[in-house]
Amino acid sequence: MGMSTNKCGARWTSWLTKNMLLLMTMAGIVMGVIIGGVLRNLEPSQEIVKYVGFPGELFMNMLKAMVLPLIAASIVSGLSQLDGKTSGRLGSRAVMYYVITTTHAVILGIIVVSIIHPGDPTIKQKMGIEEGATANESAAQKFLDLFRNAFPENIMRATFSQYQTHYVNVTNSNGIQKTELKTGYVDGMNVLGIIVFCIVMGLVISKIGEEAKPLANLFHALDVVITRMVMIIMWLGPIGIPSLIAQKMLEVSDLWQTARVLGLFVFTVILGLGIQAFITLPLIYVIGTRHNPYKFLSGLGQAIMTALGTSSSAASLPVTFRCLNKLGIDPRVTKFVLPVGAMVNMDGTALYEATASIFIAQMNGLDLSAGQIITVSITATLASIGAASIPSAGLVTMLIVLTALGLPANDISLILAVDWVLDRLRTSVNVIGDALGCGFVHHICADHLNADVAEAEKAHAFVEAHGVNFDELEKEIEQENNNHKTIQHV
Ligand code: ASP
C-alpha cells in the first residue's frame, strides 16, 4: 500500500517537473487575463499600458532574434545530412500535406460562413463604417512578388527587407489623380528568400560531401547553440506571454460593444478553426500515419501558448522546434519541413481569409455566385501563402480577396476590433498545422529515413573496418589532379 502511494507520488512529481513550464505558462495566461480585465476598469494611462507590456516586448524581441539564425542553421544542417533523393521525398510529401490541408481550410471556411451567415448590412451602420473605395491590389503582381522574394538579389538585404508591389494614388502636374503600380522594398525579413537560399545551400553541401563538411559542421554547431538559447528564452514565457495578453486587452477600446456586434462572426471563425485544428488535421494525420494525433497535439502545449501570446508563427518557431524534438520527430524532418511550413502553410489564416471576406461581402449585401466562390477559394489560398508569419499579416493580404470580389478596403476596419483575438487563434492553428505536418512527413518517410541512416552507418562501418584514411585519400586526389594538370600542360 505504502509502496504504491510512494510510486504514485513519484509519478506525480515527475509529471509536474516535466510539465512545469507549461503549467506556469497556463497559470500566467490566466493571470494576464485577470490583470488585463482589472486594469481596464481603472482606465490606465498609455504609459502604464506600456509598462504592462514591457516584459512581453522583450520576450517577443528575444524570440524574433532567434528566427534568422534558427532558420538558416536548421535548414542547412538538416539538408546537408540527407541525400538528394530523401530530401526530395520529404519535400514532396510536405507539399502534398500543405495542399490538402490549406484547400480543406478554405473550403471549410466558406461552408461555415455560408451556413451561419453572420454578416448583415446593419452591422456597418452600427459600427459607423463609411462607404469607401474598392480595394485595389493586383493578385497577379502579389503572386509574382512571391517569386521575386524567393530569389532575392541580395541575401544580406533579405534579412531585413522584402520586395512589394502595390498600387498608390498619385496626382500628376495637371492635378489629375491616377493609380500607379509601385514596386520597392519594405521593412520586414524576407523569410522566403532566406529559406530558398538555405535549401539550395544545404542540398549543394550534401552533394559536394567531404569538401563542404566544415561548412555543414559550422551550421550544425550554430543549430545546437541556438537551440540551447531557445531553451533559456522559453523559461521567460510565463512572464512574457501574460504581459503581451494583458497589454493587448488594455489597448482595445469598446471591447464589449464590439463583442456584441461581431459576436456571431467571432463564433463562426472560432468554430471553423476548432474543426480544422481538432477534427480535420488530426483526421489527415491519422489516415496518413495510423498514429494517435491527440497524443501528438498534447505535446504541443508550449508552442500553442506561445502562438496565443505572440500572434506570430515565426516567433513561435523556436518553441515549436523544441516541442517536436521532445515528441521524437526526426530532427532532419523538423529542420527542413518546419521552417518552410511556418512560411507557406497557414491553415488558420487561409480559413480566416475566406470567412472574413465572405462576411464582408454579406455585410455589403452581396450574394456570391459560384464563380465568385471559386475566386474566393483561389485568392484566399494565395493570400495565406503570401502572408508573413507576423501579427495581423493575414489582414493585410486579405486585400487581395477583397479586390477580387470588388469590395471596399475600408471594411477591413470592421474586423480590426476583433482581429487581435482571432489572430492569436488562427496563429495557433497555423502552428498546429505545421507541427502535425512534420509528424505526418516523419511517419510516412520513416522507412526512407531509416534506410538513409543504415546506409550512412554501413559506409561508416566500411571505413572503420578497412581503415580508409581521409588525409591519405585527399593527398591521392591532389596527386592525381596534379598529374592531370601536367599532362594537359604537356
Ligand atoms: N499572425 C499569423 C501568423 O503569424 C498570420 C496572420 O495574420 O494570419 O501565423
Side-chain angles (χ1 to χ4, degrees):
M1 174 83 178
M3 234 168 49
S4 84
T5 322
N6 270 353
K7 247 191 201 165
C8 192
R11 226 181 285 149
W12 177 236
T13 321
S14 118
W15 185 88
L16 261 185
T17 326
K18 258 199 232 147
N19 294 290
M20 179 71 83
L21 181 60
L22 188 65
L23 293 173
M24 279 166 63
T25 315
M26 278 164 130
I29 290 182
V30 175
M31 278 306 286
V33 174
I34 296 174
I35 292 173
V38 171
L39 281 185
R40 252 188 96 79
N41 296 329
L42 304 177
E43 297 182 5
S45 66
Q46 274 187 341
E47 205 167 319
I48 301 278
V49 175
K50 284 275 176 227
Y51 289 141
V52 171
F54 185 64
E57 198 182 330
L58 296 189
F59 176 65
M60 185 90 167
N61 284 353
M62 288 181 212
L63 282 179
K64 277 165 71 184
M66 293 295 115
V67 173
L68 176 62
L70 187 69
I71 289 181
S74 64
I75 294 185
V76 176
S77 75
L79 284 180
S80 58
Q81 288 169 29
L82 294 167
D83 64 26
K85 230 167 75 195
T86 313
S87 5
R89 205 179 172 84
L90 294 188
S92 61
R93 299 308 185 271
V95 169
M96 180 179 90
Y97 172 88
Y98 298 157
V99 171
I100 296 174
T101 53
T102 306
T103 312
H104 185 277
V106 170
I107 296 174
L108 177 65
I110 293 174
I111 293 174
V112 279
V113 75
S114 305
I115 294 176
I116 300 178
H117 208 289
D120 77 75
T122 59
I123 294 180
K124 264 180 103 164
Q125 293 150 15
K126 279 188 208 152
M127 302 276 294
I129 302 289
E130 288 166 14
E131 286 307 321
T134 311
N136 199 2
E137 279 290 348
S138 166
Q141 285 299 329
K142 287 277 169 214
F143 188 59
L144 293 186
D145 275 352
L146 280 179
F147 290 93
R148 291 183 184 115
N149 280 320
F151 304 100
E153 56 182 351
N154 182 335
I155 195 66
M156 289 299 164
R157 184 173 205 157
T159 58
F160 59 87
S161 67
Q162 50 181 283
Y163 210 74
Q164 199 181 67
T165 310
H166 57 107
Y167 282 105
V168 286
N169 289 329
V170 287
T171 316
N172 67 13
S173 49
N174 301 328
I176 300 170
Q177 263 218 349
K178 55 179 187 152
T179 48
E180 264 182 16
L181 209 51
K182 275 258 186 272
T183 52
Y185 285 96
V186 291
D187 276 351
M189 197 198 309
N190 172 8
V191 186
L192 188 58
I194 291 165
I195 286 181
V196 171
F197 188 86
C198 292
I199 288 179
V200 177
M201 193 169 178
L203 290 174
V204 172
I205 289 178
S206 118
K207 187 98 198 129
I208 290 176
E210 210 42 47
E211 212 176 335
K213 195 90 195 204
L215 196 56
N217 288 343
L218 175 78
F219 278 96
H220 178 69
L222 182 63
D223 188 44
V224 173
V225 173
I226 296 291
T227 308
R228 193 60 71 83
M229 287 169 75
V230 167
M231 275 165 66
I232 301 169
I233 297 171
M234 272 169 67
W235 282 96
L236 302 177
I239 302 169
I241 297 173
S243 149
L244 286 168
I245 292 180
Q247 182 192 17
K248 205 70 211 177
M249 284 182 73
L250 295 176
E251 278 173 355
V252 181
S253 54
D254 300 335
L255 200 59
W256 296 121
Q257 138 88 4
T258 317
R260 266 203 304 278
V261 180
L262 297 178
L264 198 53
F265 168 64
V266 173
F267 170 74
T268 310
V269 175
I270 293 179
L271 180 70
L273 291 175
I275 296 176
Q276 180 74 9
F278 300 112
I279 299 176
T280 313
L281 290 175
L283 206 63
I284 294 172
Y285 180 85
V286 85
I287 291 171
T289 68
R290 315 255 164 232
H291 281 78
N292 184 348
Y294 296 106
K295 209 168 148 203
F296 190 94
L297 275 178
S298 66
L300 296 176
Q302 195 65 29
I304 296 173
M305 305 266 175
T306 312
L308 279 175
T310 61
S311 292
S312 161
S313 25
S316 315
L317 196 62
V319 183
T320 318
F321 260 111
R322 184 87 195 107
C323 291
L324 289 175
N325 255 354
K326 275 189 167 172
L327 281 165
I329 301 303
D330 192 316
R332 291 168 298 167
V333 174
T334 322
K335 284 175 177 184
F336 174 33
V337 178
L338 188 61
V340 178
M343 185 60 217
V344 299
N345 178 46
M346 295 194 183
D347 295 347
T349 305
L351 186 139
Y352 185 70
E353 304 271 358
T355 314
S357 50
I358 296 181
F359 170 67
I360 291 176
Q362 291 171 350
M363 280 190 305
N364 282 283
L366 191 75
D367 266 331
L368 298 181
S369 64
Q372 278 170 316
I373 299 269
I374 294 174
T375 309
V376 171
S377 328
I378 297 170
T379 49
T381 307
L382 184 62
S384 78
I385 297 173
S389 327
I390 54 171
S392 289
L395 212 57
V396 180
T397 56
M398 200 191 302
L399 282 176
I400 302 175
V401 192
L402 296 187
T403 306
L405 295 177
L407 292 168
N410 236 5
D411 287 7
I412 287 204
S413 53
L414 265 170
I415 48 177
L416 207 62
V418 284
D419 193 64
W420 69 279
V421 61
L422 295 180
D423 190 12
R424 280 152 212 277
L425 299 176
R426 65 178 186 262
T427 306
S428 307
V429 177
N430 291 345
V431 168
I432 291 176
D434 298 337
L436 278 170
C438 288
F440 180 86
V441 174
H442 165 94
H443 286 299
I444 62 173
C445 294
D447 289 349
H448 255 79
L449 289 161
N450 293 340
D452 219 25
V453 172
E455 216 156 277
E457 274 170 1
K458 234 198 285 168
H460 187 73
F462 182 85
V463 171
E464 293 261 295
H466 296 79
V468 176
N469 181 335
F470 282 110
D471 289 342
E472 292 273 302
L473 209 62
E474 238 168 58
K475 271 190 211 143
E476 258 173 51
I477 294 171
E478 209 170 299
Q479 181 68 39
E480 206 158 283
N481 283 347
N482 286 343
N483 289 346
H484 191 64
K485 270 186 213 151
T486 324
I487 292 167
Q488 273 184 344
H489 196 69
V490 170

